[in-house]
C-alpha cells in the first residue's frame, strides 16, 4: 500500500509506460498524417493558384469585352450551372470520395469496383435529366422583358450541366485515391484553361455572350475527355479485372449521397443566391460588378480548397477505422495551418479591396465595400472548414443537409430584405451572415458527434494575432488614400507572421519543413 501511495506501484508504472507509448504513437501518426496532407495540399494549392489565375483571366477578358450588362447575363448562367451540377450528380461525387477512400484503405476491391460503377452511372443519368430540365426552364419560364435575355441564356447551359456532372464524379474518384496531381491536372488546370481557350474564339469573332456560353459547354466536354483518361489510368486495371466481382451497395450509397447532394447544392446555392437575387432585384450591371467582387473574395479560400481536398479522404479513413483521438489531434494541426496561410490574404483583401477590383476596369471599383464584407465571411469559413470536413466526410450528410437548409433560408430572407436597401453591400452582408451560420453549426456538430475540437491555445493565439493586427491597421489607416492603406495592410501581415514565428514550430511543422527541404535538395542535384 505504501509503495502504491508513493507512486511505485509496478502495475501503475507499466500502465503509465503503455500510455506514454500510446501517446507517442499517436503523435507520430499525427505528424505523418499532417506531412502527407501538407504534401497533397501543396499540389492542390499550386493547382488552385493556377486555376484562380486562369479564371481571373477568363473573367477579365469577358468583363472587358462584354461590358457589365452582358457579363451580368454570363455570370447569372455560370452561377446556375455549378449549383445544378452539385445536385445532378445525386451525391455520387461525394459518395465516390467517402466510400472510395474507405474501400481503398481497407483493400475491399469488390466494394470499390461496385462504388466506381454505381457512381458513374448515377452521374450520367442525373446529368442528362438535369441538363434537360435546365433547357426546358430556359425556354418556358415567364419573366419580364428586361430579364428574358438572362433566362433564355439558360438553355445554352444545359450541355454544361451534363458534362460538368460527369467531370465532378471523375474528379471525386481521383480525390478518393489521393491522386492530387491528377485532380489538379483535370479540374484545377485543365477545365479553366480549356474555358480560356474556347471562350477566346467567340469573343474574337464578336459572337457575344451566346458564343461565350457555347464555348463554356465545349470546355466542359473536353475536360471530361481529359478526366476519363486520367481516371482510367488510376482505376482501369481494377475495372477490367474480371477476377474482382463488383459488389454494389446502392442503398448505402444513396443514404449518404442524396442528403449530401442536397447539402452541396445548398452550399453552391448559398454561394450564388446573392447573384441570382441581384439579377431579380437590381440592375444587370450591378450583377457584373458583384460577380467580380465575389470572384476576388474567393482568392482567400484557396488554402481551404487545398487542405479540405486532401484532408477529406483522411477523415473518411480515420472515422471508418475509429481512430478519433488521432483525428482530433490532426484537426487542430490543419486548422492552425489554415489560419496561418489564410490570414495574410484576408487581411489585404479586407483592408484594400479596390486594389484588386480596378484591374478589371475602373467601374468595378464600386464593389470595394462589398468585397470587404464578403472577405469577413470567407475568413470565418476558412477557419472552420477543416472541422466542417469532419461532418461531411464523417458520414453525417443528413446533419449537413439541415445546416444547408438553415443557412440558405437565412440567406434568401436577408437578400430579399437587404438588396433593395443596400444594393451590393446588402447582398454581401447576407452572404457573410449565412456562411458564418453554416460554419459555426458544423464546428458545434463535430464537437457533439465526434468529440473533436479544433481551437486549442495555438489556434486561438494565431486568430487573436490576425484580428488584432487587422483591426489596428484599419483604425490607423482610416481615411487614408490607397497607398497609405496598402502600407498598413502590409504592416498587419508582417506583424501577424512575426507572431507566428515567435510562437515556435510544432513537431508537425518540423516534419513538413524537413520534407520540403529534402525535396529542394533533390531538385538541386
Amino acid at each position: 500500500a505504501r509503495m502504491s501511495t508513493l507512486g511505485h506501484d509496478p502495475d501503475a508504472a507499466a500502465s503509465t509506460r503503455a500510455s506514454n507509448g500510446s501517446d507517442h504513437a499517436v503523435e507520430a501518426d499525427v505528424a505523418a498524417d499532417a506531412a502527407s496532407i501538407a504534401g497533397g495540399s501543396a499540389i492542390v494549392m499550386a493547382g488552385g493558384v493556377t486555376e484562380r489565375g486562369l479564371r481571373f483571366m477568363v473573367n477579365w477578358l469577358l468583363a472587358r469585352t462584354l461590358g457589365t450588362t452582358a457579363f451580368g447575363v454570363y455570370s447569372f448562367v455560370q452561377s446556375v450551372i455549378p449549383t445544378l451540377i452539385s445536385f445532378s450528380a445525386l451525391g455520387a461525387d461525394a459518395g465516390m470520395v467517402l466510400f472510395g477512400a474507405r474501400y481503398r484503405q481497407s483493400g475491399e476491391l469488390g466494394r470499390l469496383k461496385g462504388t466506381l460503377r454505381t457512381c458513374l452511372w448515377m452521374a450520367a443519368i442525373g446529368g442528362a435529366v438535369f441538363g434537360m430540365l435546365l433547357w426546358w426552364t430556359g425556354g418556358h419560364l415567364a419573366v419580364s422583358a428586361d430579364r428574358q435575355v438572362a433566362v433564355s441564356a439558360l438553355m445554352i447551359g444545359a450541355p454544361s450541366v451534363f458534362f460538368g456532372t460527369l467531370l465532378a464524379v471523375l474528379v471525386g474518384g481521383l480525390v478518393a485515391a489521393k491522386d492530387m496531381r491528377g485532380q489538379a491536372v483535370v479540374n484545377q488546370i485543365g477545365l479553366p484553361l480549356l474555358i480560356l481557350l474556347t471562350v477566346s474564339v467567340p469573343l474574337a469573332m464578336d459572337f457575344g455572350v451566346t458564343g461565350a456560353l457555347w464555348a463554356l459547354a465545349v470546355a466542359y466536354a473536353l475536360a471530361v475527355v481529359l478526366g476519363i483518361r486520367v481516371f482510367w489510368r488510376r482505376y482501369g486495371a481494377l475495372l477490367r479485372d474480371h477476377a474482382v466481382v463488383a459488389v454494389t451497395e446502392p442503398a448505402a450509397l444513396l443514404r449518404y449521397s442524396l442528403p449530401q447532394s442536397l447539402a452541396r447544392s445548398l452550399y453552391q446555392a448559398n454561394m450564388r443566391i446573392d447573384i441570382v437575387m441581384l439579377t431579380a432585384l437590381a440592375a444587370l450591371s450591378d450583377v457584373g460588378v458583384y460577380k467580380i467582387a465575389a470572384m476576388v473574395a474567393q482568392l482567400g479560400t484557396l488554402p481551404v480548397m487545398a487542405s479540405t481536398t486532401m484532408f477529406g479522404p483522411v477523415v473518411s479513413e480515420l472515422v471508418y477505422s475509429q481512430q478519433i483521438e488521432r483525428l482530433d489531434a490532426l484537426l487542430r494541426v490543419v486548422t492552425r495551418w489554415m489560419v496561418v496561410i489564410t490570414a495574410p490574404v484576408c487581411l489585404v483583401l479586407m483592408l484594400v479591396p479596390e486594389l484588386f477590383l480596378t484591374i478589371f476596369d475602373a467601374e468595378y471599383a464600386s464593389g470595394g465595400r462589398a468585397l470587404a464584407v464578403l472577405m469577413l465571411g470567407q475568413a470565418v469559413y476558412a477557419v472552420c472548414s477543416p472541422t466542417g470536413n469532419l461532418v461531411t466526410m464523417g458520414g453525417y450528410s443528413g446533419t449537413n443537409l439541415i445546416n444547408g437548409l438553415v443557412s440558405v433560408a437565412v440567406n434568401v430572407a436577408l437578400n430579399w430584405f437587404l438588396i433593395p436597401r443596400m444594393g451590393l453591400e446588402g447582398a454581401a452582408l447576407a452572404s457573410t451572415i449565412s456562411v458564418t451560420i453554416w460554419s459555426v453549426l458544423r464546428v458545434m456538430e463535430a464537437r457533439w458527434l465526434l468529440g473533436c475540437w479544433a481551437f486549442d491555445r495555438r489556434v486561438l493565439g494565431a486568430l487573436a494575432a490576425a484580428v488584432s493586427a487587422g483591426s489596428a491597421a484599419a483604425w490607423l489607416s482610416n481615411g487614408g488614400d490607397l497607398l497609405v492603406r496598402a502600407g498598413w495592410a502590409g504592416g498587419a501581415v508582417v506583424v501577424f507572421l512575426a507572431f507566428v514565428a515567435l510562437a515556435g514550430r510544432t513537431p508537425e511543422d518540423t516534419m513538413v519543413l524537413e520534407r520540403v527541404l529534402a525535396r529542394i535538395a533533390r531538385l538541386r542535384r
Side-chain angles (χ1 to χ4, degrees), residues 185-403:
V185 168
V186 173
N187 190 47
Q188 294 180 294
I189 300 174
L191 178 59
L193 179 59
L194 288 168
I195 293 174
L196 177 61
L197 295 176
T198 55
V199 163
S200 299
V201 176
L203 291 181
M205 300 176 69
D206 200 24
F207 286 166
V209 66
T210 299
L213 288 171
W214 278 115
L216 181 65
V218 172
Y220 269 111
L222 294 174
V224 168
V225 174
L226 176 61
I228 290 173
R229 293 191 61 181
V230 179
F231 184 89
W232 192 255
R233 282 203 300 266
R234 175 64 59 179
Y235 293 108
L238 174 62
L239 293 173
R240 290 193 308 265
D241 190 349
H242 297 293
V244 178
V245 179
V247 179
T248 58
E249 300 169 301
L253 179 62
L254 289 171
R255 275 197 302 271
Y256 171 78
S257 67
L258 286 180
Q260 184 63 8
S261 173
L262 287 169
R264 285 196 171 196
S265 298
L266 290 171
Y267 174 73
Q268 291 290 337
N270 215 31
M271 293 176 61
R272 296 174 172 86
I273 278 174
D274 39 12
I275 291 178
V276 174
M277 295 192 71
L278 275 169
T279 304
L281 300 173
L284 289 175
S285 58
D286 287 341
V287 179
V289 173
Y290 188 85
K291 167 65 177 180
I292 295 301
M295 186 201 69
V296 174
Q298 290 176 0
L299 292 174
T301 63
L302 272 174
V304 176
M305 175 189 60
S307 69
T308 56
T309 300
M310 186 63 189
F311 191 33
V314 175
V315 172
S316 178
E317 293 171 2
L318 293 179
V319 172
Y320 191 53
S321 57
Q322 292 295 303
Q323 300 182 67
I324 303 302
E325 182 184 358
R326 180 173 168 183
L327 177 61
D328 185 37
L330 187 61
L331 172 63
R332 289 190 285 273
V333 174
V334 175
T335 301
R336 187 175 64 85
W337 286 351
M338 186 64 61
V339 174
V340 172
I341 297 172
T342 304
V345 179
C346 292
L347 286 171
V348 173
L349 288 174
M350 280 191 281
L351 292 170
V352 281
E354 67 273 27
L355 181 65
F356 301 88
L357 296 175
T358 52
I359 295 174
F360 295 87
D361 200 281
E363 59 185 329
Y364 291 98
S366 60
R369 286 189 296 180
L371 173 55
V373 175
L374 285 170
M375 283 311 306
L376 181 60
Q378 293 301 308
V380 175
Y381 168 68
V383 173
C384 298
S385 60
T387 305
N389 233 10
L390 270 65
V391 177
T392 56
M393 297 311 297
Y396 299 102
S397 56
T399 302
N400 200 40
L401 173 58
I402 295 173
N403 298 340

Side-chain angles (χ1 to χ4, degrees), residues 360-450:
F360 295 87
D361 200 281
E363 59 185 329
Y364 291 98
S366 60
R369 286 189 296 180
L371 173 55
V373 175
L374 285 170
M375 283 311 306
L376 181 60
Q378 293 301 308
V380 175
Y381 168 68
V383 173
C384 298
S385 60
T387 305
N389 233 10
L390 270 65
V391 177
T392 56
M393 297 311 297
Y396 299 102
S397 56
T399 302
N400 200 40
L401 173 58
I402 295 173
N403 298 340
L405 290 170
V406 172
S407 181
V408 169
V410 170
N411 202 358
V412 171
L414 288 176
N415 270 294
W416 191 268
F417 178 77
L418 293 175
I419 288 176
R421 293 164 176 78
M422 299 175 62
L424 303 180
E425 290 80 9
L429 182 58
S431 177
T432 292
I433 293 173
S434 62
V435 167
T436 300
I437 289 173
W438 196 328
S439 300
V440 172
L441 282 174
R442 295 201 294 182
V443 168
M444 295 167 59
E445 289 155 359
R447 180 67 178 268
W448 178 49
L449 295 169
L450 293 168

Side-chain angles (χ1 to χ4, degrees), residues 114-167:
T115 298
L116 297 175
R117 288 182 175 180
T118 304
C119 289
L120 289 171
W121 273 111
M122 287 171 60
I125 295 171
V129 170
F130 280 86
M132 289 188 290
L133 178 63
L134 183 62
W135 180 85
W136 185 90
T137 301
H140 292 82
L141 186 63
V143 293
S144 59
D146 60 331
R147 311 292 174 186
Q148 187 60 52
V149 61
V151 171
S152 298
L154 290 173
M155 298 178 70
I156 309 174
S160 296
V161 171
F162 173 71
F163 290 118
T165 304
L166 290 175
L167 182 64

